Amino acid sequence: MSTETIRFVRRIVSISLCAALLTSFSLILAPGVGAASDTNKTETATKDSVNIISAEDKLLAQRANIIDAARKEAAEVVSEQLAIQEAAAKEAATAATEGTRVATAVAFGNPGSVSTGSSSSSSASTSTDNSSSSNSESASSSSGESESYDYSYPAYSGSSEFLMSIDNPDYSYTGCVVYLSDDDRDITERILMGEAGSQGFEGMALVAQCIRDTYVNGSYSSIRQLLIDNGYYGSTSITPSQTAKDVVNYIFDQGGSAVQHSIRVFYASNLCSSPWHESQVYVCSYGYVRYFDFA
């Protein structure tokens, strides 16, 4: 065997030994590498689980917020409805009270039996019914204000001129002048606003004539005393309009009259029924308001 052959064989053997050693080393290292890989996979899975749980928590939190918001909205709706119902109840109670007030307070006397009916607060019409009509020029504007009485209603103390014609005039009746203190003038104007503020000059004149006729036929020291003695508790809080001032001037200062008949009581027939009023002497109607003299 030559030297070259021996060297070749040695190289082959060396290479084989190296290969065997590398294979053994790989087998020794393999379990550690596999364990590291499994650990990484576990950590990744754990992180994924944590992320999933975190996302679910966020969804649950969002749903909880939505539910809370819905509950709050529902509570607000319920509160709003309750407030509306409460306001409606108060309005109905106020309307009922107002109906009773109109039925009893404005009578200027004992109204007897008064039965309240519908509590509807419909505004009384400024037109008269078939039993009464105006013989004056049109004096009411769309706003309820009238022209000056100096031009439309030229009546004076004891004048035979009247604002409205009626079916049963009392030809012996004439108006009269009544002196009013500043306090009486103010309260009278306010009564006209509270009782006939939407009925223009003629509607207010009928109320004013009722106050004057009651005053001159009774023993009263003042208009305020008349109200107290008759238990009147209607509204006097509305600031008088120029129309109210003109009416007081016409009825009290000039002695003018709305109709040629004494008026002592009246009531709003759309707010109540009153057998006592209807038992008196019917004079006229203006819108829903019916006026009477004592029987």
Side-chain angles (χ1 to χ4, degrees):
M1 183 178 294
S2 63
T3 302
E4 294 296 330
T5 300
I6 293 171
R7 288 179 180 175
F8 179 74
V9 171
R10 287 178 178 174
R11 287 178 181 173
I12 291 174
V13 172
S14 297
I15 291 172
S16 297
L17 290 173
C18 288
L21 290 172
L22 289 173
T23 300
S24 299
F25 185 73
S26 297
L27 291 173
I28 292 170
L29 292 177
V33 174
S37 178
D38 291 340
T39 301
N40 290 335
K41 290 180 180 179
T42 301
E43 291 178 353
T44 301
T46 301
K47 290 180 179 178
D48 292 340
S49 298
V50 171
N51 290 335
I52 292 172
I53 293 173
S54 179
E56 290 179 349
D57 289 342
K58 289 181 180 179
L59 288 174
L60 290 174
Q62 290 176 354
R63 290 176 183 174
N65 291 334
I66 293 173
I67 291 172
D68 288 341
R71 286 177 178 173
K72 290 180 180 178
E73 184 176 358
E76 290 175 356
V77 171
V78 171
S79 298
E80 183 178 356
Q81 291 299 319
L82 290 175
I84 292 173
Q85 292 176 5
E86 183 178 356
K90 288 182 179 179
E91 183 177 356
T94 301
T97 301
E98 181 66 13
T100 302
R101 182 193 68 76
V102 173
T104 59
V106 300
F108 296 109
N110 181 11
S113 174
V114 177
S115 301
T116 58
S118 170
S119 60
S120 171
S121 59
S122 302
S123 297
S125 169
T126 56
S127 63
T128 60
D129 64 5
N130 293 332
S131 64
S132 60
S133 61
S134 172
N135 65 355
S136 64
E137 299 177 2
S138 174
S140 299
S141 67
S142 59
S143 64
E145 291 291 321
S146 69
E147 298 175 10
S148 170
Y149 62 89
D150 290 332
Y151 299 99
S152 298
Y153 309 109
Y156 302 93
S157 177
S159 171
S160 61
E161 297 292 330
F162 300 93
L163 302 184
M164 301 164 58
S165 62
I166 56 177
D167 292 338
N168 59 333
D170 178 1
Y171 295 108
S172 65
Y173 176 86
T174 58
C176 62
V177 173
V178 174
Y179 171 77
L180 295 178
S181 66
D182 292 342
D183 178 67
D184 280 348
R185 183 177 299 275
D186 179 70
I187 195 171
T188 301
E189 292 170 351
R190 289 176 179 274
I191 291 172
L192 300 188
M193 294 300 297
E195 298 298 343
S198 64
Q199 294 186 327
F201 194 100
E202 291 177 351
M204 289 188 187
L206 284 165
V207 175
Q209 182 179 332
C210 181
I211 297 173
R212 184 192 65 188
D213 290 350
T214 301
Y215 179 78
V216 299
N217 284 281
S219 299
Y220 304 105
S221 60
S222 65
I223 299 297
R224 184 175 292 277
Q225 187 62 46
L226 180 152
L227 300 178
I228 294 173
D229 290 352
N230 288 275
Y232 184 84
Y233 58 92
S235 173
T236 57
S237 63
I238 303 175
T239 302
S241 66
Q242 185 58 48
T243 298
K245 296 177 182 295
D246 290 346
V247 168
V248 170
N249 186 302
Y250 170 74
I251 297 294
F252 289 87
D253 300 340
Q254 296 190 39
S257 300
V259 295
Q260 193 173 16
H261 203 298
S262 174
I263 300 176
R264 304 298 296 277
V265 293
F266 61 92
Y267 79 103
S269 61
N270 66 318
L271 298 177
C272 64
S273 61
S274 177
W276 182 85
H277 283 85
E278 295 296 337
S279 69
Q280 306 304 307
V281 178
Y282 174 76
V283 177
C284 67
S285 294
Y286 197 83
Y288 295 109
V289 184
R290 294 172 63 81
Y291 294 85
F292 303 84
D293 191 7
F294 286 148

